[in-house]
Amino acid sequence: MLVSFLAICVHFIDRQADYMNRLDFIWKRQLMAEQEEASTTRTVNKMLLRNILPNHVAEVYLDMNRPHDELFHEEYEYVAVMFASLAGYSLHDDEAGAEEDGLQDDGLGGLKLLNEIITDFDKLLFDNEFHRVEKIKVAGYTYMAACGLEPGRRDSAASHESSRSSSSQGSVQQNTDHTVVLAKFATRMMAVLKALNKDAFQTFNLRVGICHGRVMAGVVGEKKPLYDIWGDTVNMASRMDSTGIPGKIQVLEKTAKLLESQGVKCESRGMTFVKGKGEVQTYFVSVGEDLHLIPQEIVTRKRKFKLNESIDTDDSEFEETAL
Ligand SMILES: Nc1ncnc2c1ncn2[C@@H]1O[C@H](COP(=O)(O)OP(=O)(O)OP(=O)(O)O)[C@@H](O)[C@H]1O
């Protein structure tokens, strides 16, 4: 009797242990699946955030310990800002408007084409040469981008983000060619549009305005947060675009001087009325037929000593570097 009872008890304990082991196994599997799902969600969130926000800003937003009501902002002393508008382009959903645009299609065809153009512009951002260029947004038919929005830059004023990473500030190299990089980016956009025009039998043109200087950057909004930049530099870049000429990159005198000092040729446009400034001298960045920036000519006078030792200064040479 006792033996049977003990046997039943042992069997029961054995079954119980077996049950607990199975349960443990199921729970562990469930936990692993949940952990995997959480990791995938985090990766997707990271990818989405990195698509919406610049990398350094996305990192701040992915920090779980960050207070949710904290305003993210940065101040930069030197950022180059570009507004590039598709001149003569507008989407109409009526036939008359579409014909007016030269788009022998309904609004959808125009939208597809606009998407193609913007996507091709976006692809340029993956080019190593333009890794510092940040697309800010597309507003209507205008592509807005900036160069120089780098955390920890030495010339950046204290900001929420950069103050956190102040320890790394000393090791960050300061770039001074943001305006040149952005002007190059604009010429590549022109080249992309030229190729697209050829394929799609269109005649779109890019009207570009660039300005450089101080900007305030920040993220606004809880839903669909937007990283944007503000300030006089941004307003002026927009006005250089709106008062510009299709196929040209217009800049203020201070930006032309900066570009020239860094080897990029600019030509005077003459006086242009710019809201907030009045009549000001503006310049066009010189772009060649091949849609590359024309280098500033560095005249190296070839001093030719003639027999009578007079100096012939007429024979000058131009040094050119590819831009
Ligand atoms: N962050 C930004 N994103 C997009 N556009 C901007 C931004 N900041 C300024 N702008 C543009 O810069 C231009 C000049 O700014 P301003 O604040 O003077 O507005 P405005 O008086 O309406 O100027 P305008 O009459 O030239 O459009 C505006 O067209 C504005 O849309």
Side-chain angles (χ1 to χ4, degrees):
M1 182 78 178
L2 186 69
V3 172
S4 317
F5 177 74
L6 280 175
I8 289 168
C9 281
V10 168
H11 178 69
F12 181 77
I13 290 167
D14 185 45
R15 291 296 302 269
Q16 186 78 6
D18 190 37
Y19 174 74
M20 291 305 286
N21 278 343
R22 276 165 194 262
L23 210 62
D24 193 41
F25 176 72
I26 291 169
W27 280 346
K28 269 188 186 152
R29 219 169 53 175
Q30 225 168 18
L31 185 72
M32 264 166 68
E34 276 168 21
Q35 274 174 343
E36 225 165 88
E37 201 180 305
S39 154
T40 311
T41 310
R42 195 168 156 74
T43 309
V44 170
N45 281 348
K46 261 188 192 175
M47 277 165 59
L48 281 173
L49 263 179
R50 284 189 179 136
N51 262 328
I52 300 169
L53 304 171
N55 274 351
H56 72 280
V57 187
E59 289 310 320
V60 176
Y61 273 74
L62 285 164
D63 178 2
M64 297 296 189
N65 301 322
R66 177 184 168 272
H68 284 278
D69 52 355
E70 199 172 70
L71 174 75
F72 179 88
H73 75 284
E74 299 168 305
E75 280 171 42
Y76 290 94
E77 287 300 323
Y78 169 37
V79 168
V81 182
M82 177 197 76
F83 281 73
S85 294
L86 281 170
Y89 190 99
S90 70
L91 263 181
H92 290 274
D93 52 9
D94 61 300
E95 263 180 41
E99 270 171 31
E100 198 181 288
D101 284 346
L103 297 167
Q104 307 302 318
D105 205 342
D106 55 12
L108 187 60
L111 188 60
K112 274 184 187 162
L113 194 56
L114 180 64
N115 181 47
E116 209 177 310
I117 296 170
I118 301 298
T119 305
D120 281 358
F121 288 166
D122 285 349
K123 282 180 191 159
L124 292 173
L125 297 165
F126 295 104
D127 194 324
N128 212 21
E129 197 179 2
F130 304 124
H131 74 276
R132 278 185 282 136
V133 177
E134 196 68 52
K135 174 185 177 183
I136 304 295
K137 66 177 115 162
V138 172
Y141 312 109
T142 304
Y143 195 97
M144 180 182 169
C147 187
L149 297 164
E150 299 162 44
R153 281 225 336 262
R154 278 191 225 132
D155 58 345
S156 302
S159 72
H160 160 83
E161 207 282 331
S162 55
S163 59
R164 277 187 187 193
S165 57
S166 55
S167 57
S168 63
Q169 280 189 10
S171 60
V172 176
Q173 229 197 352
Q174 185 180 4
N175 291 300
T176 54
D177 60 347
H178 305 313
T179 316
V180 177
V181 171
L182 206 55
K184 264 190 205 175
F185 185 74
T187 59
R188 299 296 189 273
M189 286 173 82
M190 286 172 172
V192 160
L193 198 60
K194 190 177 171 186
L196 220 132
N197 274 341
K198 210 171 150 199
D199 292 344
F201 306 104
Q202 298 290 348
T203 53
F204 299 131
N205 225 332
L206 209 59
R207 191 190 63 202
V208 184
I210 293 180
C211 189
H212 79 277
R214 184 187 272 256
V215 304
M216 162 84 89
V219 178
V220 285
E222 175 79 25
K223 205 167 178 313
K224 292 189 190 166
L226 176 75
Y227 179 80
D228 210 338
I229 49 177
W230 297 270
D232 192 50
T233 305
V234 185
N235 293 344
M236 282 307 148
S238 169
R239 287 177 195 152
M240 285 301 98
D241 164 28
S242 59
T243 61
I245 291 179
K248 302 270 188 193
I249 305 170
Q250 186 174 223
V251 295
L252 289 173
E253 188 164 28
K254 65 165 188 174
T255 305
K257 278 188 176 159
L258 176 72
L259 284 167
E260 288 191 331
S261 74
Q262 295 183 340
V264 178
K265 193 179 172 193
C266 295
E267 56 206 89
S268 170
R269 180 193 184 179
M271 302 304 276
T272 307
F273 180 79
V274 179
K275 192 179 153 193
K277 291 243 183 265
E279 292 280 339
V280 290
Q281 179 86 256
T282 64
Y283 291 76
F284 288 132
V285 179
S286 300
V287 179
E289 286 283 307
D290 60 350
L291 296 178
H292 277 82
L293 298 176
I294 297 180
Q296 174 75 353
E297 291 151 348
I298 305 165
V299 183
T300 54
R301 303 260 182 222
K302 231 184 176 182
R303 293 180 166 215
K304 275 192 170 179
F305 291 91
K306 292 191 178 160
L307 278 176
N308 61 1
E309 295 215 330
S310 68
I311 301 166
D312 176 13
T313 50
D314 289 327
D315 191 7
S316 45
E317 244 183 21
F318 297 111
E319 270 185 5
E320 294 202 350
T321 40
L323 286 168

